[in-house]
Amino acid sequence: MRKKQKIQIELPIDIDSRYKNLYIKKSSYLCPKLYVKEYRNVFVSHEGLCLKNYHLLPYSAFNICTNYDKSFGLKYYRLVLEQYLVSTYGKSLKKINLNENTTYALIHTKWFNYSFWITAALVRLLMLQKTGKNFTLLYPEEWDSIAYVQQTLQAFPNLKYEKIPVGVHVQVKTLLLPEVRPFTACFNGEELQMVSNYFVGKIPDGIKNKTYPKRIFVTRKKAKYRKIANEQEVINLVAKYGFTVIDFDDMTFWEQVAQMQSAECVVQIHGAGMANVVFAKRNTHVLELLHEYKSSSAYRFPYWTACETMGIQYRCMFNKLVGNKDDSIIIRNDLFVDLFVLESHIKQMLNT
């Protein structure tokens, strides 16, 4: 029987009563103990889906066949089974049989962006490192063009890897599989703290010794979508309270780590860049700007969960949508921030 820890987290500070029930429903969850498993004769798709004996390996991807969430289990199983059959017996997909005498390891999943890299892939890489075993990391070729991946892996100078061409799948004789959490917001604070401790401890001196602002407003002005429609008004307001505007897109990975270590108060719109809360100190104040949805099922609140499990003082503010109100694409919509409500939150943050 797999050990499971019950995680109970506090509601956001000064939560608006209209949204309280959304958080109460998600304030308690079971977090299973994750292991590094060794498997033999595994088909690994380019996206990190793992098939053995025609079964999708449990805890190899988010939201698959576990007791937590089966929403992607059948979908992913059909996908990886088709990839296996076509690449093995057909000609339209390519498969490589990797060296039988090498032990390979996997840290990526089909769900991949900056947030999943910080809160899942790096957790898995550190799990692998703790085993003390010799392994070669499966490395999708696309990683060559992802700056944060390249910069992060600098912290592992002795890491060996096997670069897999785009669209190519692999057959592995021996696979080390560090398990991934069963659903995206199922955070274990100890695992996130492990990531924080490791990378904060490796900030290059030239970056660590710089001076960073203590109060920051994080803009998404260069992003393709999900921006603040009245951002200049917001910037004018937060400037009155000593906040500096920063854009993570202008910073290296290591600069982002150093900035978050220095921050005392953070105001930021929901997005993958909020995964940087992992590098903040305990009791840092964080205000997340969120969309108002029509359906309560659309809310996930991963950064609330991450903050609470790491001892960060989390607040949230819900904002009106600008543009299409269709829930299916709502996450891409801009939002309009109520300046009066925002100022109230900032005053509360600074007076705590």
Side-chain angles (χ1 to χ4, degrees):
M1 178 70 69
R2 183 182 293 265
K3 293 182 179 179
K4 298 174 185 175
Q5 178 184 2
K6 185 175 182 179
I7 306 292
Q8 185 74 44
I9 57 178
E10 298 293 328
L11 299 184
I13 300 170
D14 300 318
I15 179 69
D16 188 315
S17 60
R18 291 175 296 171
Y19 306 105
K20 206 167 186 178
N21 281 337
L22 295 174
Y23 287 88
I24 289 175
K25 294 176 181 178
K26 300 178 183 295
S27 62
S28 177
Y29 57 90
L30 292 177
C31 193
K33 181 171 178 57
L34 302 177
Y35 301 93
V36 177
K37 294 289 188 67
E38 183 172 316
Y39 293 99
R40 304 280 288 177
N41 302 316
V42 181
F43 172 81
V44 182
S45 77
H46 191 79
E47 303 89 352
L49 295 174
C50 299
L51 191 73
K52 176 179 171 61
N53 296 332
Y54 294 97
H55 288 87
L56 187 60
L57 289 182
Y59 294 95
S60 60
F62 297 108
N63 304 305
I64 60 172
C65 301
T66 70
N67 292 329
Y68 293 84
D69 184 348
K70 301 179 181 179
S71 58
F72 287 90
L74 184 57
K75 175 182 176 181
Y76 284 176
Y77 174 68
R78 287 173 173 169
L79 173 61
V80 72
L81 180 61
E82 179 182 1
Q83 291 170 333
Y84 168 73
L85 292 174
V86 175
S87 64
T88 302
Y89 303 107
K91 295 181 179 181
S92 60
L93 295 178
K94 185 176 181 180
K95 180 178 73 170
I96 298 174
N97 293 306
L98 297 182
N99 191 328
E100 292 188 1
N101 299 317
T102 300
T103 297
Y104 295 93
L106 175 75
I107 64 170
H108 65 286
T109 71
K110 191 167 174 58
W111 293 43
F112 192 87
N113 63 13
Y114 183 78
S115 181
F116 292 121
W117 176 254
I118 299 299
T119 65
L122 294 183
V123 170
R124 301 173 82 188
L125 185 52
L126 291 173
M127 288 169 63
L128 284 165
Q129 187 168 268
K130 287 176 66 175
T131 67
K133 294 183 178 181
N134 187 28
F135 66 88
T136 295
L137 185 68
L138 296 177
Y139 178 106
E141 188 178 45
E142 304 93 289
W143 286 2
D144 282 346
S145 63
I146 304 177
Y148 62 79
V149 171
Q150 297 301 307
Q151 294 163 17
T152 307
L153 293 182
Q154 293 172 1
F156 304 88
N158 299 318
L159 182 65
K160 295 179 294 184
Y161 60 86
E162 179 82 25
K163 189 177 294 187
I164 311 300
V166 175
V168 173
H169 312 294
V170 295
Q171 189 73 37
V172 178
K173 186 70 174 180
T174 304
L175 178 70
L176 283 180
L177 180 70
E179 296 178 323
V180 69
R181 60 185 187 270
F183 56 93
T184 52
C186 181
F187 290 116
N188 180 318
E190 293 179 1
E191 294 171 356
L192 297 183
Q193 193 63 56
M194 174 176 66
V195 172
S196 181
N197 293 344
Y198 187 84
F199 287 95
V200 168
K202 291 187 176 295
I203 301 173
D205 289 341
I207 294 175
K208 180 170 58 178
N209 296 333
K210 292 181 180 179
T211 300
Y212 297 90
K214 302 296 183 183
R215 300 176 183 177
I216 60 174
F217 167 77
V218 184
T219 179
R220 280 180 55 91
K221 63 182 178 182
K222 294 181 181 178
K224 293 180 180 179
Y225 50 81
R226 202 187 314 121
K227 305 177 187 182
I228 297 176
N230 58 331
E231 184 170 78
Q232 189 56 55
E233 293 178 319
V234 170
I235 289 173
N236 294 341
L237 172 62
V238 299
K240 289 169 44 180
Y241 294 92
F243 282 76
T244 299
V245 179
I246 68 166
D247 190 336
F248 285 144
D249 285 342
D250 294 333
M251 305 172 75
T252 67
F253 167 75
W254 293 109
E255 287 171 336
Q256 293 176 58
V257 175
Q259 170 61 83
M260 290 304 292
Q261 261 290 288
S262 298
E264 295 175 355
C265 294
V266 181
V267 177
Q268 186 173 356
I269 189 172
H270 175 83
M274 278 209 72
N276 282 324
V277 296
V278 167
F279 305 116
K281 294 177 181 176
R282 290 183 66 86
N283 294 317
T284 298
H285 292 270
V286 172
L287 171 61
E288 181 177 17
L289 305 178
L290 296 161
H291 289 86
E292 285 187 334
Y293 290 82
K294 291 186 295 184
S295 169
S296 62
S297 64
Y299 292 105
R300 296 291 182 268
F301 306 130
Y303 302 116
W304 162 56
T305 310
C307 285
E308 290 295 338
T309 58
M310 296 191 70
I312 294 170
Q313 304 298 307
Y314 175 90
R315 290 174 168 81
C316 61
M317 176 181 169
F318 291 84
N319 301 271
K320 293 181 179 179
L321 287 168
V322 176
N324 197 309
K325 304 300 192 295
D326 182 354
D327 275 349
S328 64
I329 58 173
I330 202 171
I331 199 65
R332 296 178 178 272
N333 285 198
D334 293 345
L335 55 79
F336 187 90
V337 175
D338 185 313
L339 299 180
F340 177 81
V341 177
L342 175 60
E343 186 168 28
S344 176
H345 277 293
I346 290 175
K347 287 179 178 179
Q348 291 167 352
M349 290 172 69
L350 299 181
N351 291 331
T352 300

